[in-house]
Amino acid sequence: MKEINGIINGQGKKIGIVVAEFNDVVTSKLLNGAVTQLKKSGVAEDDITVAHVPGALEIARTINRMAETGKFDGLIALGAVIRGETSHFTYVCQGTTRELAAASAQGKVPVMFGVLTTETVAQATDRAGGKSGNKGAECATDILEILSVEEQIKQL
Ligand code: INI
């Protein structure tokens, strides 16, 4: 039996991040968590590219453009969708989730989903460096893990 486990080693890896400006009190913390963790894991600062977009609904399009360049090994999508008083929240969540899942499943490179969808600002803050960790940092580790798994699959 062959078993594959990803290892976390960012040396030589080129990573793109797309981060939404909407709810930037939260998304700036996700970005900080992602960049800090990538660097801790061995990714060179020059190998990290960050694209800022207006809101969650614009993330997938920019992720797709970055994927098409062939210049990135992996991509991270960061955003925060927080429930307001209208159904807009639902549409933004559904659109963003569906498009990013498609980008990762069908695009050239893996895409990590670091878009928080929460009821309150407090829940989002908890997940952006607060008591429930930092989703951006998790995405940084996860992208390196999946890249390692894919490399090992190619070598079978
Ligand atoms: N964008 C977000 O990133 N988070 C939100 O919570 C949000 N809400 O609730 O409206 C949001 N809306 C903006 C949207 O993503 C687009 O940027 C905008 O509609 C322009 O296309």
Side-chain angles (χ1 to χ4, degrees), residues 24-148:
D24 72 332
V25 173
V26 175
T27 62
S28 59
K29 293 188 172 122
L30 295 174
L31 178 60
N32 186 45
V35 171
T36 303
Q37 188 59 46
L38 285 172
K39 289 201 261 180
K40 264 191 209 164
S41 305
V43 179
E45 184 147 12
D46 278 353
D47 288 339
I48 303 172
T49 302
V50 180
H52 298 265
V53 300
L57 282 177
E58 286 72 45
I59 296 174
R61 183 177 177 82
T62 306
I63 284 280
N64 286 331
R65 294 295 87 76
M66 285 177 116
E68 286 160 9
T69 65
K71 292 183 179 165
F72 301 99
D73 296 299
L75 298 167
I76 297 173
L78 299 176
V81 192
I82 301 170
R83 187 181 287 281
E85 292 187 349
T86 69
S87 56
H88 195 61
F89 168 86
T90 309
Y91 295 116
V92 175
C93 286
Q94 285 174 354
T96 306
T97 307
R98 190 180 53 241
E99 297 293 323
L100 283 172
S104 193
Q106 291 148 30
K108 285 188 177 173
V109 298
V111 180
M112 294 303 105
F113 186 77
V115 180
L116 298 174
T117 55
T118 64
E119 298 292 314
T120 64
V121 175
Q123 286 172 350
T125 309
D126 284 348
R127 291 158 178 78
K131 66 181 182 204
S132 303
N134 186 312
K135 193 71 182 162
E138 270 176 42
C139 285
T141 309
D142 291 347
I143 190 70
L144 299 177
E145 181 181 343
I146 193 77
L147 288 174
S148 167

